[in-house]
Amino acid sequence: MSKSYLHALKAIACASLLALGACAEEGAGRVVSIQTPQNSIDKAFLDHIDPVLQAEVDEGVRAGFVAAVVTRDGVAYKKAFGEADPFNETPMTTDTRFRIASMTKPIISVAVMQLVDRGAIRLNDPVEHFIPAYANPQVAVSKTRKADGSFETRPAKRSITIHDLLTHTAGIGYVFSAASDLDKAYLEANLLVTEGDLKERIDRIAALPLLTEPGEIWSYSYSIDILGYIIEAASGVPLETYLMENIFTPLGMNGTEFFIDDSDFEGAAVVIEFNEAGEMVRSGGSALSSPVNDEAFGIASGGAGLVSNVDDYARFMRMLLNDGELDGARILSPATVRLMMQDHTPMNARPEPWKNIGMTFGLGGYVVLEPGYMGNYAAKGDWGWAGYWDTHFFVNREENLGVLLLAQTQPGPHMPPSRAEDLMKSIAYGAQRH
C-alpha cells in the first residue's frame, strides 16, 4: 500500500472518526462550554459565516460549500458558496445534493431505534437472530494469516448485540486500516466495491474473524452497514423502502436516496481532490470507493450510501432537536432521542485520544461530555458525525442548535486543511441570545 494512500487514510480517520479535534497535531487549548438553556438565535450575527466560507473558496481551499444553522423552530441560516462543479463553472446552490457518506450512519441509527420503539428489535438482541452468519462469532488470536491463508481464532465470549453495532463496539473491522492481514481482509471485503446483493456482501464480512471481543473496544466499523441489513430483516422490506416510508417521506426529505444508479447523480456536486501541485482536479475515487463521479455504489449501504441536500438533512436535524417529531411527524419517542445522545461507551473502551478530551460515543454519533481540552469550539451535549467526502453536522438539544456544513472533497495527502467547520460552529454559538 502506497505512502500517499496511508496518508489519505489518516485524513479520513481525522475527518470521520475524530471529528471534534482528536486528530489535532498540536497542543490543544482550553475552550469554554456554553451552558445557556433554550437560547434564541440572532440571525444577523450569523452573517459572520459568509466571509469565512467565501474566503476558503477564494483561496482555493474548497470548491464550494452549502451551510445551515438550525434550531427546533426552523432554519436560521442557509447559504451556498462557490461551485458545485468548478470544471464547468456550475455554481453551488442550496438545491445541490451531496454524497453524505458516513452521515448516512446517524439516519440508519435512527431507523434502528425507531424499530426499537416499535418492539421489532431489542438493543440486547443477538445479531444472529437476524443474520445467521453471525452465529458463534470467532475472535482472531493472531491478525496474521497462517500458511494456508486462514486466521487462528477462538470463540467469542458472547454474541454480538444490536447495541454493540450501534456503538461500534462489535469487534468488526472496516476499510480505514491496513496494518495487519486481518485489516487488509476487511478492506478487501469493502461493501462499496465488491459484488453481490446486500446480504451476500454482509455474509462476506461475517465470515471474517472479529478483531476484538464484542463490547470491549470502540472501533469504527462496518457495524452500521450490518444494521442496514438488519432493518431489512426486521421490517420485511428493502432498506431504502423502509427509510422512504418511515423517515424520508414523513419528514419531507424528498432529495435523499441511496446512491445506487445513474439518476442519483442528478444535481449532485462533483467530488474534487488536490494533486501534488495543490491544484483541484476531478476525483477518480480511491481504493475505498468506486469512481464516485462516474459510478454509483450499486447497493443500499447503511454506512455510507446516501445522497442528500441541505434542506433534507436540516429537517432530520430539527426532528432530533424537537425530541423526535417535526411538523406532526413522530419519528422517535423523546426518551429514545435522549438515549441516543447519552454516553454509551465506557472510558476503557474509548479510543485513546477521546479519553483525554471529554468525548465519547452514543448511539449513531459522537457525544461531547466535557469540552475542556478538545482544542476547538464545543459545547457539552453536542451530538453528530462527519462524512468521508467532507460533510459535517452536529445538534445540541440543550442549546437548541444545529450546524450543517457540506462540501465534496476526496481526502488525500494534498488536501489543504479547512478552518470552516470550527469557525462556523463558534459563530453559530456566538449568535445565541437569552
Side-chain angles (χ1 to χ4, degrees):
M1 181 163 295
S2 69
K3 182 177 180 180
S4 63
Y5 182 54
L6 292 175
H7 192 114
L9 289 178
K10 179 182 177 182
I12 296 158
C14 288
S16 293
L17 279 79
L18 310 176
L20 286 184
C23 293
E25 296 182 356
E26 299 178 359
R30 181 178 292 274
V31 295
V32 178
S33 172
I34 300 200
Q35 298 295 329
T36 50
Q38 308 301 321
N39 291 328
S40 62
I41 289 289
D42 180 347
K43 293 183 179 180
F45 192 91
L46 294 175
D47 288 340
H48 288 291
I49 295 171
D50 294 10
V52 169
L53 300 186
Q54 188 61 52
E56 294 220 340
V57 171
D58 293 344
E59 294 165 10
V61 175
R62 295 293 184 268
F65 296 100
V66 177
V69 177
V70 304
T71 69
R72 60 177 55 93
D73 299 315
V75 177
Y77 176 95
K78 182 180 71 174
K79 290 185 181 179
F81 301 83
E83 295 176 316
D85 181 354
F87 313 108
N88 290 297
E89 298 183 347
T90 304
M92 192 76 82
T93 74
T94 54
D95 293 324
T96 300
R97 296 205 298 173
F98 295 81
R99 301 153 185 81
I100 62 171
S102 287
M103 276 173 49
T104 302
K105 290 178 171 71
I107 294 175
I108 297 299
S109 299
V110 163
V112 170
M113 295 307 295
Q114 190 177 62
L115 289 169
V116 171
D117 275 352
R118 296 173 180 180
I121 291 175
R122 296 185 310 163
L123 287 177
N124 60 350
D125 273 341
V127 172
E128 64 259 31
H129 181 78
F130 304 96
I131 304 177
Y134 271 109
N136 304 312
Q138 300 291 306
V139 179
V141 173
S142 171
K143 296 178 183 179
T144 301
R145 290 187 188 274
K146 296 189 294 185
D148 64 0
S150 65
F151 294 95
E152 183 181 357
T153 64
R154 56 175 169 75
K157 295 177 183 177
R158 64 166 175 80
S159 295
I160 301 168
T161 67
I162 300 297
H163 187 268
D164 293 333
L165 294 177
L166 282 165
T167 56
H168 291 289
T169 59
I172 293 163
Y174 211 14
V175 293
F176 292 129
S177 176
S180 71
D181 290 344
L182 185 52
D183 291 324
K184 292 174 184 176
Y186 273 103
L187 194 156
E188 290 164 2
N190 187 347
L191 276 84
L192 304 185
V193 298
T194 50
E195 299 297 324
D197 62 20
L198 183 57
K199 179 182 184 302
E200 291 170 328
R201 299 185 197 203
I202 295 298
D203 283 348
R204 190 178 297 119
I205 292 170
L208 295 171
L210 303 180
L211 292 110
T212 60
E213 288 286 347
E216 293 189 358
I217 299 293
W218 189 97
S219 182
Y220 203 35
S221 68
Y222 285 118
S223 290
I224 312 303
D225 288 284
I226 295 166
L227 284 170
Y229 181 64
I230 289 174
I231 290 169
E232 291 192 351
S235 68
V237 298
L239 176 59
E240 186 166 41
T241 300
Y242 181 87
L243 295 178
M244 286 290 181
E245 293 177 351
N246 294 277
I247 296 179
F248 299 157
T249 298
L251 289 179
M253 297 173 64
N254 300 319
T256 303
E257 60 187 332
F258 280 105
F259 194 56
I260 58 178
D261 61 48
D262 290 345
S263 68
D264 302 325
F265 286 96
E266 184 178 350
V270 169
V271 179
I272 64 101
E273 60 182 280
F274 291 85
N275 63 20
E276 292 183 0
E279 301 165 329
M280 286 186 192
V281 296
R282 195 172 186 270
S283 177
S286 73
L288 301 185
S289 61
S290 65
V292 291
N293 287 313
D294 304 299
E295 294 180 15
F297 291 158
I299 59 163
S301 166
L306 288 174
V307 289
S308 191
N309 58 36
V310 66
D311 287 336
D312 282 12
Y313 215 89
R315 290 188 65 79
F316 175 73
M317 294 162 63
R318 288 183 57 218
M319 175 273 295
L320 293 169
L321 290 173
N322 278 285
D323 289 336
E325 183 177 9
L326 187 65
D327 296 337
R330 168 64 64 185
I331 304 301
L332 293 175
S333 70
T336 297
V337 175
R338 293 193 297 270
L339 179 65
M340 292 185 72
M341 297 181 184
Q342 293 172 354
D343 179 11
H344 286 260
T345 309
M347 180 66 76
N348 61 359
R350 297 177 200 168
E352 283 301 321
W354 290 6
K355 295 177 182 179
N356 299 318
I357 62 171
M359 183 173 172
T360 188
F361 200 80
L363 302 178
Y366 64 70
V367 180
V368 175
L369 298 175
E370 297 295 338
Y373 290 95
M374 295 189 66
N376 58 358
Y377 203 97
K380 184 176 181 179
D382 289 350
W383 180 94
W385 203 239
Y388 178 90
W389 289 294
D390 211 7
T391 58
H392 312 262
F393 92 100
F394 80 90
V395 293
N396 190 313
R397 290 174 54 258
E398 292 300 318
E399 302 292 346
N400 184 24
L401 186 70
V403 171
L404 176 62
L405 182 64
L406 304 171
Q408 290 284 259
T409 318
Q410 175 79 30
H414 310 296
M415 176 182 176
S418 170
R419 302 168 69 230
E421 181 189 7
D422 284 351
L423 292 175
M424 185 179 171
K425 185 173 186 177
S426 62
I427 294 166
Y429 271 118
Q432 287 186 315
R433 300 291 182 266
H434 289 293

